[in-house]
Amino acid sequence: MQNSLLSSPSTLNNHVIYCINPHCKQRQNLDELECCQTCGTPLLIHDRYRLIQPLRRLDSRKYTDIFEVDDQGTGKVMKVLRDNHSKLVELLEREALTLELLNHPGIPKVESDGYFTVSVNSTTELHCLVLERIEGQNLEAWAKQYGEISQALALNWLRQILEILEYLHQNQFFHRDIKPSNIILKPDGRLVLIDFGSVREITGTYLAKLRGDIELTKIISEGYTAPEQRQGRCLPQSDFYALGRTLVHLLTNKPPSCLPINHNTGQLIWQDKAPQISKPLAEFIDDLMADAVVNRPQDVKAIAQGLTHVSLWLRGLGCWVRSPKGIATIITLGMMGVGVYHISQPWRFQYYFKQGREDLMELRLEQARINLERAVKINPNDATARSDLGLACKYQEDLQCAKKQFNQALKLNPDAEIAATIHYNLGMLYEDDEKFDQALAEYKRAMGHNGYISIYATNNFARLQIWQKRNYEVAVNLLLKVLQQIETLDLNETEKNNLQSGLYKNLGWAHLEQNRDQDAEKYLQKAIKLDNKQAAPHCLLAQVWQNQVDEKKALISWKNCRKAESRGLPEVQVWQTDALDYLNAQ
């Protein structure tokens, strides 16, 4: 039901109200009347509701009419079932009971007396459900208006829907009909999941399947419904499949049913239609949509862990983290040190330490943390184990644990490379907390080491100088110096291009802030040439074109800004919002 909870922004109409009788030939009436002037049906429903306006076109082919109603001065939404088929009545009753039991800001509320029946004549009984009115626009309509969403917005919306699903699944329900038209975007940016007529109890579904004596109602939404659900075997993981398909629709602005299928693998072919997102996120969405249930995440917790893995790519070092050199530095690999530990530490420490490190390298974060906590418990004076544990906590977004372990590792006087890595990670943690003075101090400490971490720390230090409008010249000098150092490092072409692109972007940004548009354009174009998927240089170049009053070029750059990867940087997410505002104004 596409707009079942979507109310128009208009206020209540003081002149016309509607008759509830679906067979009435003229349903509009003056609000001063007590009964319909055409069929005689009372216009005050259930002694409290007056039908103000339909929220979608009244259509005899649809099973349900949906109205905005006035409940004694409060605006609400009423569903009125036109057809009393037992299955349809069951769905409406189930929706009423479910919403009455649940209490979550992402789920519409229903009062205990929100479900009732109304007799309009001697032969017709209408089943009605009154729900909380949700102001906003469903995501299907939103996508038609604004086009495909950015990576940052996809992650934002994904996390919001997962929070609702976690609550739903914990209460032993699953939705069975997730799709863009069943998700409302409120004016404050929060999402609400609607249309709970298809919801099922998890336990009830399993029992029914085992007994084989109940034919479960099949809910089919073309392009979104999981294969097992089409066969009448719906599971909680069916919601994940539909969620993945929903994300594909929003990222490509194309319904999944309009996209091709790889007939060898059964996978949806869509990634080429969403160039604005990174490969890890695209693969993560493919996992949600796996045909076989066993190949999907098994619960919301597993999805959240997968999102943490994706965030590792999107925030911080990008592709470098996955390279052998990147992994070696960021996880503080030091095989010589491992050899020393093997000789001098008890075998139990060595076992848990090595196993935890392997888990960390493979991003098995929960198991990595368990094994590294065991290693630290055995030998609390090992700086490398504490550093690795801090990293595991960081990737799990347990910032308090991460800071504690990093700071304790520093107190143990680690070698220069490990210390620089710890300072760099602390800088990122403080930046996430918006403690920018502390972040700058930590980045500066990491800059003292001659290695890969020093370059990334310098880039972040310069970026903060620009973002916080502190010292543009310091930023420029540092970035130019680091660009010269890159040539001395043993980097492959991809690593080198990604790093140089980020440095050129920040150089362009610094010059833009100093009103040096010509220099800003030069460096930003270099950044885009090296890495066209990064949103930041496109966003900054759009601002350069606007300064030069070149609206044609500005429009192209703002479009690229909105579609490209934000890499999780907060300033870029702000620019992408600016891009949306600019494009909407055109």
Side-chain angles (χ1 to χ4, degrees), residues 193-475:
L193 184 60
I194 66 170
D195 206 345
F196 280 72
S198 53
V199 74
R200 271 283 180 184
E201 284 187 86
I202 294 174
T203 52
T205 301
Y206 282 126
L207 289 174
K209 189 177 75 169
L210 291 172
R211 290 199 309 265
D213 60 356
I214 296 178
E215 181 183 354
L216 297 179
T217 305
K218 290 183 182 178
I219 304 296
I220 305 295
S221 289
E222 196 61 42
Y224 304 96
T225 301
E228 70 278 2
Q229 187 171 332
R230 290 177 173 273
Q231 300 165 11
R233 298 185 296 106
C234 192
L235 304 168
Q237 292 80 13
S238 306
D239 280 348
F240 303 153
Y241 181 97
L243 176 57
R245 289 295 183 102
T246 295
L247 287 168
V248 167
H249 183 156
L250 298 171
L251 286 163
T252 64
N253 199 21
K254 296 180 184 297
S257 56
C258 295
L259 293 169
I261 299 287
N262 185 323
H263 295 292
N264 293 324
T265 64
Q267 282 189 315
L268 202 63
I269 301 174
W270 65 278
Q271 294 189 20
D272 60 321
K273 306 290 192 304
Q276 74 274 29
I277 69 167
S278 64
K279 189 70 173 175
L281 179 57
E283 291 175 351
F284 176 76
I285 293 171
D286 276 335
D287 288 343
L288 292 178
M289 302 186 296
D291 269 2
V293 175
V294 295
N295 292 332
R296 296 176 215 153
Q298 294 305 292
D299 52 34
V300 174
K301 184 178 180 181
I303 296 178
Q305 184 173 344
L307 269 180
T308 303
H309 299 175
V310 172
S311 296
L312 174 62
W313 281 72
L314 306 182
R315 177 73 172 95
L317 306 188
C319 296
W320 176 77
V321 175
R322 295 293 277 179
S323 71
K325 294 184 183 67
I327 292 174
T329 304
I330 201 66
I331 302 182
T332 65
L333 282 175
M335 296 312 295
M336 291 180 61
V338 173
V340 173
Y341 300 143
H342 181 75
I343 296 170
S344 62
Q345 301 292 343
W347 69 269
R348 285 196 305 130
F349 168 83
Q350 175 63 13
Y351 171 80
Y352 289 127
F353 175 69
K354 288 183 65 178
Q355 189 61 52
R357 173 161 283 181
E358 289 176 11
D359 290 331
L360 194 53
M361 291 178 67
E362 295 299 323
L363 300 178
R364 298 186 294 264
L365 300 180
E366 189 67 34
Q367 197 57 46
R369 182 166 175 174
I370 290 171
N371 283 319
L372 290 167
E373 283 175 344
R374 289 170 177 168
V376 167
K377 186 174 182 180
I378 294 168
N379 184 2
N381 296 319
D382 189 276
T384 309
R386 283 197 178 276
S387 176
D388 286 1
L389 176 56
L391 196 62
C393 293
K394 174 180 177 291
Y395 291 153
Q396 285 189 314
E397 299 182 6
D398 186 346
L399 303 188
Q400 185 175 359
C401 164
K403 289 177 184 177
K404 176 182 177 181
Q405 295 302 327
F406 287 145
N407 283 315
Q408 288 184 343
L410 287 172
K411 292 178 181 178
L412 295 170
N413 297 317
D415 65 35
E417 182 178 6
I418 294 175
T421 304
I422 294 171
H423 286 303
Y424 177 84
N425 285 325
L426 279 169
M428 293 182 70
L429 289 176
Y430 285 125
E431 186 177 336
D432 288 341
D433 275 354
E434 298 185 357
K435 296 178 180 177
F436 299 117
D437 288 336
Q438 291 166 279
L440 286 168
E442 294 297 340
Y443 287 142
K444 192 169 185 178
R445 293 184 181 104
M447 289 160 57
H449 181 261
N450 294 323
Y452 298 97
I453 280 293
S454 174
I455 292 178
Y456 285 96
T458 302
N459 194 28
N460 272 10
F461 182 89
R463 192 184 115 262
L464 273 187
Q465 292 285 348
I466 304 165
W467 183 29
Q468 296 302 304
K469 302 183 184 300
R470 298 195 176 205
N471 194 321
Y472 301 125
E473 289 302 326
V474 166

Side-chain angles (χ1 to χ4, degrees), residues 174-204:
F174 50 96
H175 190 273
R176 296 204 301 170
D177 199 19
I178 294 173
K179 54 187 177 182
S181 60
N182 280 341
I183 303 170
I184 299 293
L185 175 63
K186 296 170 66 177
D188 64 1
R190 300 300 299 174
L191 298 180
V192 177
L193 184 60
I194 66 170
D195 206 345
F196 280 72
S198 53
V199 74
R200 271 283 180 184
E201 284 187 86
I202 294 174
T203 52

Side-chain angles (χ1 to χ4, degrees), residues 118-130:
V118 173
S119 295
V120 296
N121 53 47
S122 58
T123 59
T124 303
E125 185 176 55
L126 301 176
H127 293 258
C128 305
L129 176 60
V130 177

